Amino acid sequence: MNILLWHVHGSWTTSFVHGSHRYLIPTTPDRGPYGLGRARTYPWPDSAVEVAPEDLPGADIDLVILQRPEEIDRAEAWLRRRPGRDLPAIYVEHNTPKGDVPNTRHPMADRDDLLIAHVTGFNQIFWDTGATRTTVVDHGIVAPTVSYTGELDRLAVVINEPIRRGRVTGTDLLPQFAEIAPLDVFGMGVAGLADHLGLPADRLTSHDDVPQHRMHAELARRRAYLHLCRWTSLGLSLIEAMAIGMPVVALATTEAVMAVPPEAGALATRTDTLLDAARRFIAEPATARQAGAAARTAARDRYGLDRFLADWDRLLEEEVCGSR
């Protein structure tokens, strides 16, 4: 199939474009939010092709993947065809709802022209989508090529924009863990985080927008992975860390309770329990390695790329063939 989608969520899109289709990625000269083009810090196959908006009206497209509410109107303007009416469309919901949870209405609620595909079961039950059809396709990842060593007595975190997002991503909890071991925080917009939290530079080091393969190599050297998000969809960086073989110290919120089995580390809503687990992993490398092995097995069994792509192929076939 020829599938039109915007490059929005780097890790998810990386997995998605590893399928057997041709993926048309809108690209504008400024490479802004609606024309980012191919990824530069993730490995994408040649089947992900950049396409200029002016070339879309006559393009052969079988299906449109929408990921933001405004994309449906933008797609119509660029394609001169209406997604859901003239072309099959699937709206991928990556995020947990915001606002009056659990009563938040989805922007695509009560529509009969498209399907909403949630990336977690948690998101599906918390969004109010009205009469719009929904399904769940669990995440899948391109397996990291590095393996856990845990040689550094440090804790790793991956958060995008931790200063702006604050309590949502558990940024305020980081200083407590920095007392146990130095933190390495990877992600976009992490520069200046130590100063923001009032931490000395030797207790928190920021690694801003590191290419994925280099980030994986650095994660593998840290003793354990922290996932302190209070309210967020399931971060693919958590699954990637588990697949590397890192033990996990995570808040038992949203979909993390399904992704992290007890033997893979510590999962709790009490920070004292998580702090104790972090201390134990720093003090006992063998214990950390054992939990990391369980995390690796769980991640690769449930979130493998082959399962993810097979689930999507079934869904794409149903939607495209059904519309025809």
Side-chain angles (χ1 to χ4, degrees):
M1 298 180 188
N2 292 322
I3 300 171
L4 175 70
L5 78 155
W6 278 265
H7 175 192
V8 180
H9 297 270
S11 289
W12 182 87
T13 311
T14 296
S15 296
F16 188 75
V17 299
H18 271 78
S20 58
H21 308 286
R22 184 168 178 260
Y23 306 91
L24 304 178
I25 314 296
T27 309
T28 56
D30 64 351
R31 291 190 176 267
Y34 300 99
L36 191 57
R38 284 175 54 90
R40 298 182 176 184
T41 57
Y42 294 87
W44 281 17
D46 293 340
S47 54
V49 180
E50 294 187 345
V51 58
E54 57 268 26
D55 294 331
L56 285 173
D60 181 14
I61 295 173
D62 296 295
L63 179 135
V64 180
I65 294 289
L66 306 165
Q67 301 173 78
R68 294 167 291 187
E70 61 274 19
E71 286 180 0
I72 193 166
D73 291 333
R74 188 172 294 268
E76 182 176 15
W78 285 359
L79 292 166
R80 298 175 194 164
R81 289 166 281 177
R82 183 72 175 175
R85 183 190 65 200
D86 305 315
L87 287 168
I90 298 175
Y91 188 101
V92 180
E93 181 50 74
H94 295 276
N95 301 314
T96 46
K98 298 177 177 63
D100 183 20
V101 178
N103 300 314
T104 313
R105 289 279 285 177
H106 195 277
M108 298 293 132
D110 290 328
R111 300 185 68 116
D112 60 5
D113 57 348
L114 53 78
L115 170 77
I116 298 174
H118 294 281
V119 298
T120 71
F122 184 93
N123 288 3
Q124 185 186 44
I125 65 169
F126 268 78
W127 275 109
D128 175 8
T129 52
T132 307
R133 293 180 301 129
T134 69
T135 190
V136 177
V137 180
D138 284 319
H139 281 308
I141 62 167
V142 178
T145 58
V146 298
S147 296
Y148 175 75
T149 63
E151 70 218 57
L152 301 180
D153 297 339
R154 302 173 70 90
L155 300 170
V157 194
V158 179
I159 311 174
N160 287 329
E161 299 185 87
I163 296 174
R164 179 183 67 82
R165 297 168 71 194
R167 285 178 56 83
V168 170
T169 53
T171 305
D172 57 303
L173 302 176
L174 292 175
Q176 298 178 64
F177 290 88
E179 294 178 9
I180 295 170
L183 306 182
D184 288 291
V185 183
F186 299 82
M188 294 184 290
V190 299
L193 181 58
D195 289 342
H196 174 76
L197 294 173
L199 292 173
D202 63 342
R203 303 311 293 177
L204 189 152
T205 303
S206 294
H207 305 266
D208 201 80
D209 205 13
V210 177
Q212 189 186 44
H213 70 282
R214 281 177 42 203
M215 183 184 76
H216 287 167
E218 292 301 322
L219 289 177
R221 302 177 63 210
R222 273 67 184 172
R223 185 64 50 78
Y225 183 85
L226 298 181
H227 179 76
L228 303 176
C229 296
R230 286 185 174 91
W231 187 252
T232 185
S233 194
L234 182 62
L236 284 170
S237 56
L238 168 63
I239 301 171
E240 291 163 1
M242 292 172 63
I244 288 169
M246 299 188 74
V248 172
V249 177
L251 273 177
T253 55
T254 65
E255 188 75 7
V257 298
M258 299 300 295
V260 183
E263 62 272 18
L267 193 66
T269 55
R270 291 181 178 269
T271 52
D272 287 348
T273 302
L274 301 181
L275 290 166
D276 288 344
R279 290 190 192 95
R280 185 170 67 256
F281 288 144
I282 291 295
E284 303 173 14
T287 301
R289 192 172 299 109
Q290 182 178 8
R296 178 185 173 96
T297 298
R300 299 204 175 207
D301 284 351
R302 180 167 183 183
Y303 299 104
L305 184 64
D306 288 345
R307 190 275 312 154
F308 172 79
L309 294 176
D311 286 354
W312 266 105
D313 275 348
R314 281 192 292 271
L315 186 60
L316 295 173
E317 185 175 0
E318 290 172 3
E319 290 305 300
V320 171
C321 293
S323 69
R324 288 173 177 169

